[in-house]
């Protein structure tokens, strides 16, 4: 499976993302990271535009089988209007 890790809401410690990606790779999966999945912008992983871009890019990539979100919550509400609903 081809897994893309994104952080559409709160920030997360980079080491947690790295350890998770390492484990998934050790199970034989191909893992790619959203550009801002280990970022920090206040309490979020990036600006709303940056977080939405990472999620949209993952959704539109035909090679991605699974989108793995590191966190959820209030930050996701901030990007809903930025997502193409079609």
């Amino acid at each position: 499976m081809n897994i893309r890790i994104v952080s559409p809401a709160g920030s997360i410690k980079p080491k947690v993302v790295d350890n998770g990606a390492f484990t998934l790779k050790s199970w034989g999966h191909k893992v790619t990271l959203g550009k801002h999945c280990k970022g920090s912008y206040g309490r979020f992983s990036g600006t709303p535009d940056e977080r939405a871009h990472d999620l949209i890019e993952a959704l539109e990539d035909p090679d991605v089988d699974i989108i793995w979100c590191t966190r959820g919550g209030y930050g996701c509400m901030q990007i809903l209007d930025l997502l193409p609903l079609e």
Side-chain angles (χ1 to χ4, degrees):
M1 289 288 180
N2 191 351
I3 301 171
R4 175 79 50 89
I5 299 175
V6 298
S7 297
S11 62
I12 189 166
K13 293 179 182 177
K15 185 171 183 161
V16 173
V17 175
D18 292 338
N19 288 344
F22 177 82
T23 298
L24 292 168
K25 288 177 184 178
S26 75
W27 293 343
H29 300 292
K30 179 180 177 194
V31 178
T32 55
L33 305 179
K35 183 176 179 181
H36 303 94
C37 79
K38 297 191 288 184
S40 179
Y41 181 79
R43 59 188 288 209
F44 303 105
S45 66
T47 67
D49 286 335
E50 291 169 338
R51 292 181 279 131
H53 178 268
D54 282 357
L55 184 54
I56 292 166
E57 188 175 74
L59 288 166
E60 293 179 345
D61 187 336
D63 294 328
V64 172
D65 300 307
I66 296 171
I67 299 171
W68 194 304
C69 298
T70 62
R71 306 255 334 234
Y74 172 73
C76 292
M77 297 298 295
Q78 296 177 329
I79 67 170
L80 284 178
D81 289 340
L82 302 172
L83 301 177
L85 297 179
E86 68 278 348

